[in-house]
Structure formats: C-alpha cells, structure tokens
C-alpha cells in the first residue's frame, strides 16, 4: 500500500536532529540506570553476606544449619514502603483504600489511575515508575503469574514479565470487573502488599476498559 | 569499559539514530509523539545498560528489537487509546492538545485514529513492513513470531486502515491496493 508511506511520513513527525540537551538526557538516564543496577547488585551481595554470617553464627550456636538458616532469613528481608489509608478525594473511575506512604495521585481519567512517588513528574501517559490501576485491556493476552488472594478473589501476579522492570497483578473482582495493577519493582513491595492494595480498589461506573 | 568512553560512544550512536527512532516509535504509538519519545527513552536506556555487550555490528538490530518490545509491552500502551472495535472505524476527533509538529493533511487525524484502533501487534506489523520496509522474516524476528503471522497481521491492518480512510479521501482517488508482499 504505497500511498501509506507519505501519510506515515507526515504523522511520524519532524526529522530535525536531536538537540545536545536531549542527548545529554539520554546519557544521564543510562548512567542512572547503571547506578541503580549496581546498587541492587551491591544490596543483594550484602544480603547474601548477612545470610552467610547468620548461618555461620547459627551453626556455632546450635550445630544445626537448617535451623540457623530459618533464623537468619529475616535479616535479608527487603525493606518495603508502607501503605497508608488514602484520605484524599477519590478519583472518578477507581477508588482506592490505601496508597504507598508519601505517594500521591498523579493522573486519572476513566481509563486509568496513576499514583506516583515524590518528585516523579513525567508525562501522564508514561507509566514507568508509577503505580497504575486500570481495567484489563480488551486486547490483553494471557500471561503467567503466581496465584494470590485479592480480597477473596483469585489473582495472578507476575514480576518482570518480558524482561520489564514492573510487576503486574490481574484479577476479577467480586462484581466481575477484570482488573489490572502495575507497579515499579524498584518499590520492592511484597506480593501480600500488592494484593492488599488491589483488594482496596473499587471500580465505579465511570471506568472504561482500554484497547490498543 | 569506563564511563567516559561508554558515554562518548553511546552519544555518537544516539546522535545518528535518534531521529529515525523517534519517528518509528511515533508510528508504533499510533502517531502519538509523546508516547513515541517515551518508547525511545526506554529503548536507549536499555541500550546504555547493555552497551559493553552489544556489538557494533548488531547494535541497530538490538535497538530495533528493544523498541518493538517496548511498543508491544502492554504496561506501556494500556490506557492510551479508548476501546474501539475492529469491526468499526473510529471517528477522528480533534485532540485536546497538539500531538505533532510540522505539515498536516486532512488524512492525518483519521490515520492516527485508525492506527490507534489497531491492536498493537497488528500496528507493529504494518509499521515494520510498510514504513521500515522490512521483509516478513526480519519483522518476525523483531516481533517474536513467524513471518506468515507478520504478513497476515500487516495485511489485515492495512485493509482496516484502507477501510477507515476511504470516507476521508476524495472521490476518484481511492487508496491503492496492498502490494503482493
């Protein structure tokens, strides 16, 4: 369909070279990502070291490595942000009972609700680093996940699906709404915390599913 | 690899490729420049992370694949477009804010709306075959599916675009049939 090309060419936008500041920003994002990755690796290494120390200590105390490992486990638990009751004005399409402490409602319409950490100020339609609530897309394909209980309903939770840096939780609520929550893995929320957050979501009649 | 060398090489590469990446990403995002920019930023950040391991000869292929993956990543594209049935053509509406710059045409908004109504994989197949001029085999590698699937997706997508744009074209100037690819 050769006549599509000139139309594509127009809506693809201008072809001006990227400004130096744009290139600087690309480099800065890359360096930040490297920093985050190294911090994670360092944290994991420290956790393993602590675990090993706990095991060694426990073996000396009781002579039982199995028992010591169990005792050492809490040391490497990942710290999490606490969820608190949401007391602000409820968004139109999706009401929430709890939100991460310090986070705030970013953008809301009938299709989605986003909640952001302090200082994150990106385009409303960019979901990177945000907690996202929406109805399941009509185009969604089945994805794998671990079963979790979401307020008495069966949900499926997956982390890093497709190599991404987000977690996803899907469930059907008591009213039959197919629900979707997405969050940044950086936040290190547990499965239980996400299931509790999800269980506190109420869909209003204003909410609409998406496609595309 | 030290940061300075990585930064310099990365910057030089991005300087050469960024414009076309954003244009392709904009089409993958149904003409939404902001969404396209978001996809490119994600792609380039992944490239920076992998820079020491991505060979120069395969760098373009890596970037293209990362871009398509980002476009097909459901968590990025959800909520961007209201639900529209493939059985009907969307009605083009004036956007709340400018979504692009440069020359316009009366078919631009209908085309955006029609692209937005396509499922993401179908839209990607159309863009890869009819914008990047990839063959179905290469497009299949990027999309992680068989060439035949790419062809059928692109064919259905183009047919749908043709159907949706037909009411907006002047009488006697029908859109051309899809080529035989």
């Amino acid at each position: 369909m050769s006549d599509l090309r000139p139309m594509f060419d127009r809506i693809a936008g201008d072809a001006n070279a990227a400004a130096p500041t744009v290139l600087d920003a690309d480099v800065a994002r890359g360096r930040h990502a490297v920093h985050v990755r190294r911090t994670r690796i360092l944290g994991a290494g420290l956790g393993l070291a602590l675990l090993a120390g706990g095991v060694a200590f426990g073996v000396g105390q009781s002579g039982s490595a199995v028992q010591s490992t169990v005792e050492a486990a809490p040391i490497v638990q990942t710290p999490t942000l606490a969820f608190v009751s949401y007391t602000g004005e409820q968004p139109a399409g999706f009401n929430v009972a709890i939100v991460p402490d310090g986070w705030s409602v970013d953008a809301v319409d009938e299709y989605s609700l986003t909640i952001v950490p302090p200082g994150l100020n990106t385009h409303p339609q960019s979901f990177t680093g945000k907690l996202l609530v929406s109805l399941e897309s009509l185009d969604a394909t089945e994805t794998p996940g671990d079963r979790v209980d979401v307020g008495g309903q069966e949900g499926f939770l997956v982390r890093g699906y497709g190599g991404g840096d987000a977690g996803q939780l899907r469930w059907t609520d008591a009213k039959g709404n197919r629900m979707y929550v997405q969050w940044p893995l950086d936040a290190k929320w547990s499965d239980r915390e996400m299931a509790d957050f999800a269980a506190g979501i109420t869909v209003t009649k204003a909410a609409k599913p998406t496609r595309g | 690899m030290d940061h300075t060398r990585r930064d310099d090489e990365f910057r030089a590469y991005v300087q050469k490729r960024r414009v076309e990446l954003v244009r392709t990403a904009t089409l993958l995002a149904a003409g939404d420049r902001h969404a396209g920019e978001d996809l490119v930023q994600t792609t380039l950040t992944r490239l920076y992370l992998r820079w020491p391991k991505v060979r120069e000869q395969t760098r373009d292929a890596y970037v293209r694949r990362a871009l398509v993956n980002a476009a097909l990543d459901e968590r990025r594209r959800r909520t961007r477009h209201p639900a529209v049935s493939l059985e009907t053509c969307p009605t083009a509406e004036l956007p709340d804010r400018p979504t692009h710059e440069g020359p316009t045409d009366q078919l631009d908004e209908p085309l955006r709306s029609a692209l937005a109504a396509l499922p993401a994989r179908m839209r990607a197949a159309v863009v890869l075959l009819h914008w990047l001029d990839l063959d179905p085999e290469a497009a299949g590698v990027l999309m992680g599916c068989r060439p035949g699937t790419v062809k059928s997706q692109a064919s259905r997508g183009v047919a749908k675009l043709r159907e949706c744009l037909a009411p907006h074209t002047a009488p006697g100037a029908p859109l051309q049939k899809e080529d035989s690819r």
Side-chain angles (χ1 to χ4, degrees), chain A residues 2 5 9 13 24 26 182, chain B residues 11 18 23 75 131 176:
Chain A
S2 57
R5 172 164 283 282
D9 193 49
D24 290 343
D26 288 333
Q182 171 190 304
Chain B
R11 189 185 176 90
R18 201 178 202 288
R23 281 163 61 78
R75 69 196 169 83
W131 167 254
Q176 298 170 17

Side-chain angles (χ1 to χ4, degrees), chain A residues 132-152:
Chain A
L132 166 71
V133 177
S134 73
L135 292 178
E136 178 69 298
S137 167
L138 296 177
D139 291 327
T141 53
E142 189 172 338
T143 54
D146 298 327
R147 291 173 192 270
V148 293
D149 179 87
V150 181

